Amino acid sequence: MATRTEIKKKIYNTRGRIQKRMNEIIIAADKDGKRALTAEEDAEWDKLLADDQKEQKSLQRYESMWAIERDLGKEERHGVSKNKFPASAAGSLPDDDDQQRSDDLDPEKREKMVRDAFNGWSRCGGDVGPTQCQRHAARQLRRSCGQKRWDSPILGNEEFQEYQARAQGLHPNRLKRDLTISTGSSGQYMIPQGFISNLELALLYFGPMLRVSDVWRTSSGNPIPWPTMNDTGNIGEMLAESASVGSSVDPTFGQKLFGAYKMSSKVIKYPYELTEDSSFNLGAVLPTALGTRLGRIINKYCTTGTGTNEPQGIVTGSSLGKTTASATAVVYSELIDLIHSVDIAYREQPGVGWLLHDLIIAALRKLVDGQSRPLWQSGLQDGVPDRLLGYGVNTNNDMDSALTTGKKIAVFGHLPSFKIRVVNQIRMRRLTELYAANDQEAFVGFLRIDSKVMNAGTNPIKYLAMA
């Protein structure tokens, strides 16, 4: 099998060839009297765009797989079994009194114990139920396979930032350190690390909002005010010798109140026969399903939520930066005006970029500047995103997708000025009886969040509206 470097090199080379041909088509049409693309050129360009998007998705899948492998690779290198609880020297399970306490086990054995306990919890209530090994593992962790709820600790702010980096394709050497979940006393070993890895990555990869925003975690869901201050209208002064500083000039203070709105994955069902198969790894399947569903709903509200009895979306909370002259088209100068509508103090900070629907990206990729140079720059290096007029592009398909009157088709600015609050833990419930008549197991996940644009009056994020 090809190495990771070889796979990335092949994908980037393919994207480079595609981008070169796309540029040739656009430049030729622009130099030929700025004519529209012919039917053949338009068809070829659309096919090239589809091929480029296919390569991007392929790389994203590889990155997701490699990130999970990095988290689980340590156990695999040491030959830890994924499905069987380690037996004693005599070949049978030891008694509780003789069993080494779970707190004293090395991390690999403890992680394996947690995985067995979790899979036992997922099987409880059916005809087969947990195995003896799985029940024993749960007892050692002071838990029960029969409990109705299983809480999944979320990553702390620093650890989540490392997952954000991984989701954006940054090289692991650029990460600060190995991932951890939390301290043991707060639940480090209450759910398998692999489950957390899969769940967090599924949330991040589905939509861009959890990647590009400033995510902060709280242990409780009580309303929390976030103070704001605007002092941009005040400047210092020059004084004569021994002159008084005069009266004070105070900044403008305000606050944003963050609540906690409950999001649900909806019920996830599957045949009970899957739990009877010892090779079925529920700890790998559930987080992908839960994470994708929660990722969809979180990205939706964090993009277009009204802010009234629901989270505020980044489009809703941003300010008008530019309105197009046409109701059906965007031109180069209007994108420049949108960029410069955001104060330079924000544009020079890390995290500045675009949010665009994929169909809007397709339209903007055909634009050129006054010298017939394409505005679009494909990211052809590891960790380098596609760029539009020098700023990174993030695809968000919960945004408006059509160049029609009144649509807010582009968001630009300091994206970390959009704050997402995530409360406590992702809670999972097993619905044993509800679908018993169909011989099905069912699970549902819950997570509470809120989100807002932190705008003290200086408008760090702006949108482009169609006339």
Side-chain angles (χ1 to χ4, degrees):
M1 181 177 178
T3 65
R4 298 181 185 183
T5 301
E6 291 171 341
I7 291 172
K8 288 183 177 181
K9 183 177 180 180
K10 180 180 178 181
I11 292 175
Y12 289 133
N13 288 342
T14 301
R15 291 196 65 203
R17 291 192 295 271
I18 292 172
Q19 183 64 36
K20 180 180 179 181
R21 178 54 187 156
M22 293 173 74
N23 290 347
E24 289 173 352
I25 295 173
I26 298 300
I27 293 172
D30 187 70
K31 288 183 176 180
D32 190 13
K34 297 185 181 297
R35 62 172 174 80
L37 298 182
T38 65
E40 293 77 10
E41 289 173 333
D42 197 51
E44 182 184 1
W45 200 92
D46 287 343
K47 182 180 183 303
L48 290 167
L49 177 60
D51 291 342
D52 184 62
Q53 292 171 337
K54 181 179 178 181
E55 293 297 321
Q56 291 183 64
K57 290 179 181 179
S58 177
L59 179 59
Q60 188 181 71
R61 286 193 294 269
Y62 277 115
E63 291 287 359
S64 177
M65 178 184 70
W66 292 333
I68 295 171
E69 286 177 351
R70 284 193 292 268
D71 293 332
L72 302 180
K74 184 177 180 181
E75 291 153 290
E76 294 171 356
R77 286 195 301 272
H78 287 274
V80 179
S81 168
K82 292 179 181 287
N83 298 310
K84 299 185 182 299
F85 189 84
S88 66
S92 60
L93 285 170
D95 295 331
D96 285 351
D97 293 340
D98 297 330
Q99 172 67 26
Q100 187 178 15
R101 291 179 60 86
S102 63
D103 292 342
D104 299 328
L105 292 175
D106 64 71
E108 293 177 7
K109 292 181 179 179
R110 189 180 176 92
E111 172 66 13
K112 177 63 180 67
M113 182 183 292
V114 173
R115 188 160 52 246
D116 279 331
F118 179 79
N119 284 329
W121 172 79
S122 69
R123 296 173 59 149
C124 193
D127 295 333
V128 177
T131 65
Q132 183 183 3
C133 295
Q134 290 167 343
R135 291 185 184 277
H136 184 81
R139 289 197 303 270
Q140 290 300 102
L141 294 168
R142 302 175 182 87
R143 293 171 76 88
S144 169
C145 290
Q147 64 192 61
K148 293 295 184 182
R149 194 180 92 181
W150 194 288
D151 292 341
S152 165
I154 57 179
L155 299 180
N157 292 320
E158 187 176 352
E159 289 83 7
F160 193 80
Q161 290 172 3
E162 295 183 10
Y163 267 103
Q164 287 177 307
R166 285 188 175 184
Q168 295 177 57
L170 299 183
H171 193 277
N173 289 340
R174 296 176 64 179
L175 300 179
K176 298 177 183 177
R177 53 183 169 76
D178 291 338
L179 289 173
T180 60
I181 295 179
S182 59
T183 60
S185 61
S186 61
Q188 178 177 4
Y189 295 111
M190 291 301 97
I191 198 162
Q193 279 192 344
F195 188 103
I196 296 294
S197 303
N198 293 1
L199 180 59
E200 296 282 4
L201 286 168
L203 286 168
L204 286 169
Y205 274 112
F206 181 80
M209 296 312 302
L210 284 170
R211 294 201 309 268
V212 302
S213 309
D214 181 15
V215 179
W216 56 294
R217 310 297 183 105
T218 62
S219 59
S220 62
N222 57 294
I224 296 180
W226 187 305
T228 63
M229 183 185 77
N230 183 2
D231 196 38
T232 57
N234 301 321
I235 62 174
E237 61 181 348
M238 184 175 69
L239 296 174
E241 185 176 345
S242 301
S244 171
V245 296
S247 59
S248 64
V249 180
D250 295 329
T252 301
F253 290 96
Q255 70 175 24
K256 301 285 187 179
L257 188 64
F258 283 82
Y261 298 98
K262 184 187 292 186
M263 304 293 162
S264 165
S265 66
K266 294 187 178 180
V267 174
I268 297 173
K269 300 182 293 184
Y270 60 87
Y272 183 74
E273 284 79 3
L274 288 179
T275 62
E276 297 177 328
D277 184 357
S278 61
S279 65
F280 176 68
N281 187 357
L282 188 68
V285 175
L286 257 186
T288 300
L290 286 170
T292 299
R293 291 187 179 191
L294 288 172
R296 287 191 180 113
I297 191 66
I298 290 172
N299 198 78
K300 174 185 175 182
Y301 279 108
C302 288
T303 302
T304 58
T306 64
T308 302
N309 298 322
E310 64 186 50
Q312 182 192 65
I314 192 169
V315 177
T316 309
S318 58
S319 307
L320 175 64
K322 179 68 177 180
T323 302
T324 63
S326 168
T328 58
V330 179
V331 297
Y332 166 66
S333 61
E334 291 165 345
L335 297 177
I336 295 294
D337 288 342
L338 176 62
I339 290 174
H340 286 271
S341 70
V342 177
D343 192 276
I344 190 172
Y346 288 112
R347 300 203 313 269
E348 291 184 341
Q349 294 187 37
V352 176
W354 300 87
L355 287 175
L356 302 162
H357 191 282
D358 191 51
L359 294 179
I360 301 300
I361 289 176
L364 297 183
R365 291 186 72 164
K366 299 179 181 180
L367 296 180
V368 296
D369 63 15
Q371 283 73 46
S372 299
R373 295 173 300 190
L375 305 184
W376 188 268
Q377 297 171 292
S378 291
L380 302 178
Q381 301 177 42
D382 192 13
V384 178
D386 292 337
R387 307 183 78 80
L388 177 63
L389 294 170
Y391 294 96
V393 175
N394 301 279
T395 305
N396 187 345
N397 281 350
D398 283 312
M399 293 186 59
D400 287 334
S401 60
L403 298 175
T404 55
T405 300
K407 298 296 185 180
K408 301 175 182 178
I409 62 158
V411 165
F412 175 83
H414 183 243
L415 302 181
S417 289
F418 184 71
K419 311 292 183 182
I420 300 178
R421 178 198 187 184
V422 178
V423 179
N424 206 357
Q425 299 171 319
I426 297 174
R427 295 182 293 110
M428 293 176 295
R429 288 189 178 275
R430 184 184 62 237
L431 310 178
T432 303
E433 302 298 333
L434 187 59
Y435 300 98
N438 297 327
D439 196 25
Q440 292 177 317
E441 287 290 307
F443 294 85
V444 63
F446 302 97
L447 181 62
R448 291 194 294 167
I449 71 158
D450 197 8
S451 59
K452 284 179 173 60
V453 173
M454 299 307 295
N455 184 1
T458 52
N459 304 323
I461 305 173
K462 297 193 175 183
Y463 64 83
L464 177 67
M466 301 300 295

